[in-house]
Amino acid sequence: MAAEPDPLPSDADETRLLREMFRAHPDALLLVDNDGRIARANPAACGLLGYSLAQLQGLNVDALVPPLQRMHHDGLRKAYARAPRVRPRVPFRISGV
């Protein structure tokens, strides 16, 4: 009896697959490091936010938060980094649009 093929991709294929899924995702996605700097953004995020990928990479994510919420966002982001969890989806509104 022939062995069944492994349905899971190799590590290299999985990395490529995850990158493609990130790029193709219809919702805006940002990968933010522990210091709050944007490491990656998908095309949907660039389109929604009106920034190029080069402009977003390295930008502190707090710069995208409306001024009245900005002072609290840093603490919320750090708390989430310490204890990540699934959060309910919150409607997103761009200020001034």
Side-chain angles (χ1 to χ4, degrees):
M1 184 176 195
E4 291 190 32
D6 186 352
L8 299 175
S10 68
D11 288 345
D13 290 340
E14 183 176 8
T15 298
R16 190 178 77 249
L17 176 65
L18 290 173
R19 286 179 189 265
E20 289 303 316
M21 288 173 59
F22 183 81
R23 282 189 203 105
H25 200 285
D27 291 331
L29 300 175
L30 298 174
L31 290 178
V32 180
D33 68 17
N34 287 337
D35 295 323
R37 302 276 172 208
I38 296 172
R40 294 189 185 272
N42 71 346
C46 295
L48 177 71
L49 298 168
Y51 288 82
S52 70
L53 180 59
Q55 289 171 314
L56 284 173
Q57 287 181 322
L59 181 69
N60 190 295
V61 72
D62 292 337
L64 302 174
V65 177
L68 292 176
Q69 288 83 29
R70 195 171 296 153
M71 60 189 266
H72 301 291
H73 189 258
D74 182 63
L76 293 171
R77 182 181 45 74
K78 288 176 180 175
Y80 180 81
R82 284 191 301 273
R85 66 195 182 292
V86 175
R87 299 176 299 166
R89 190 174 183 136
V90 177
F92 180 74
R93 194 189 86 175
I94 297 177
S95 178
V97 175

